[in-house]
Structures are given as C-alpha cells and as structure tokens.
C-alpha cells in the first residue's frame, strides 16, 4: 500500500469513528446542544426541552456517552448527564495530531485548495 493510500485509509478511519458518528445525526446533535445549554441534567430535564420521547433521548445520550462526548453520573435514582470536556478535548487533539501527520502526504502546502468566496 502506498503512502497516499495509507493516509487515505487513516483519514477515512478517523471520520468513521464513534465520535463523529455520534455527532452526525441532527436529533442527537440537538440532545448534545441541550446538555451544553443546561449543564448537568437528568433525562427529564433534557426531555422537556426536546420533541422526542424520553426513550429516544435516552438512546441518544447512550450513543454520546459511548463516544466519550457526555458522561453519566448516577445520583440516587437519577442519572445526570454533562459534556465530558476533558475527553472531548483529548479526542479532538488526537484526531488533529493524526491529521497533522497526514497533511504533508495528502495535501501538501504546494497543493493549496482554492476556496470559493462567499456571496454577499
């Protein structure tokens, strides 16, 4: 496998991870947004702000937790969810590190991409 093929495989693997998949669904992103907005909250507090059933929101929260995006903290009968900032930072820095290593192989500076200017 060539160096460029290896770089392509690594980039695809990064984008295929739980982290990005968890944030790629609009409804799940809405759940994440609510957790950010209200801070540590239980499913009831999160659900009252969203149109989905609690069971759907619970599944979304589980996917976000499995991806290291939120953390669940059981307090008595309630489970409070909050953004796992340190884990998100660690994961994003890891992804950025891989991309920095791949950048000279897949998109060296001499091959700058021309971006269209936004229309006003």
């Amino acid at each position: 496998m060539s160096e460029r093929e290896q770089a392509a495989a690594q980039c695809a693997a990064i984008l295929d991870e739980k982290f990005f998949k968890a944030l790629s669904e609009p409804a799940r992103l809405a759940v994440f947004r609510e957790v950010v907005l209200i801070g540590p909250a239980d499913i009831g507090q999160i659900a009252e702000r969203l149109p989905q059933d609690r069971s759907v929101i619970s599944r979304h929260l589980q996917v976000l937790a499995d991806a290291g995006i939120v953390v669940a903290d059981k307090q008595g009968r309630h489970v409070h969810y909050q953004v796992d900032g340190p884990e998100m930072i660690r994961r994003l820095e890891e992804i950025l590190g891989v991309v920095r290593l791949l950048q000279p192989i897949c998109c060296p500076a001499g091959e700058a991409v021309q971006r269209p200017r936004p229309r006003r």
Side-chain angles (χ1 to χ4, degrees), residues 8-113:
Q10 285 180 299
C11 285
I14 288 171
L15 296 174
D16 193 37
E17 290 190 12
K18 285 182 184 182
F19 186 84
F20 286 113
K21 285 183 176 182
L23 294 172
S24 66
E25 185 175 324
R28 197 170 302 123
L29 195 54
V31 171
F32 172 75
R33 181 180 182 277
E34 290 305 317
V35 174
V36 171
L37 285 172
I38 61 179
D42 68 17
I43 187 100
Q45 293 167 306
I46 298 166
E48 70 187 28
R49 297 170 57 106
L50 295 166
Q52 296 91 353
D53 291 337
R54 285 172 59 130
S55 63
V56 173
I57 292 168
S58 179
R59 285 193 301 269
H60 286 314
L61 287 165
Q62 185 59 52
V63 171
L64 292 169
D66 290 345
I69 295 167
V70 300
V71 64
D73 179 34
K74 188 165 174 112
Q75 298 176 358
R77 296 183 325 152
H78 297 277
V79 178
H80 288 85
Y81 296 89
Q82 65 183 351
V83 174
D84 190 347
E87 179 59 19
M88 283 189 68
I89 290 169
R90 186 200 67 76
R91 189 66 194 116
L92 289 168
E93 286 176 343
E94 181 181 309
I95 291 165
L96 185 57
V98 171
V99 172
R100 281 191 175 123
L101 290 173
L102 298 175
Q103 189 269 330
I105 298 165
C106 66
C107 39
E111 298 176 23
V113 177

